[in-house]
């Protein structure tokens, strides 16, 4: 995808973040500390928090 297609598909940072979150949710999130697969979504921080050890994982 080139920069022109990217800006045409994502008109704002918010829409880009939503897209990456949807893709990440499809794949799933695995905690790097404890390998747990259940997480909370913290919208104000745009990150996932592990339900077991409370470690946070960003969309990146």
């Amino acid at each position: 995808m080139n920069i022109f297609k990217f800006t045409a598909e994502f008109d704002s940072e918010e829409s880009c973040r939503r897209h990456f979150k949807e893709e990440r949710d499809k794949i799933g999130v695995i905690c790097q500390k404890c390998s747990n697969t259940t997480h909370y979504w913290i919208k104000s921080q745009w990150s996932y928090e592990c339900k077991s050890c409370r470690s946070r994982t960003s969309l990146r």
Side-chain angles (χ1 to χ4, degrees):
M1 177 180 287
N2 65 30
I3 191 71
F4 299 111
K5 288 181 182 178
F6 184 84
T7 55
E9 186 169 341
F10 304 112
D11 59 346
S12 68
E13 184 174 344
E14 179 80 21
S15 66
C16 184
R17 284 182 176 187
R18 276 195 308 265
H19 171 75
F20 283 117
K21 182 184 180 314
E22 289 170 7
E23 293 300 314
R24 185 74 185 253
D25 289 343
K26 288 179 191 175
I27 296 168
V29 180
I30 300 173
C31 180
Q32 292 183 2
K33 276 190 165 180
C34 68
S35 300
N36 190 16
T37 58
T38 55
H39 291 78
Y40 297 109
W41 173 246
I42 303 173
K43 187 174 182 175
S44 63
Q45 299 293 316
W46 282 92
S47 62
Y48 297 93
E49 184 176 288
C50 177
K51 288 184 178 182
S52 178
C53 71
R54 301 187 59 139
S55 176
R56 290 194 179 167
T57 305
S58 70
L59 282 176
R60 292 186 257 156

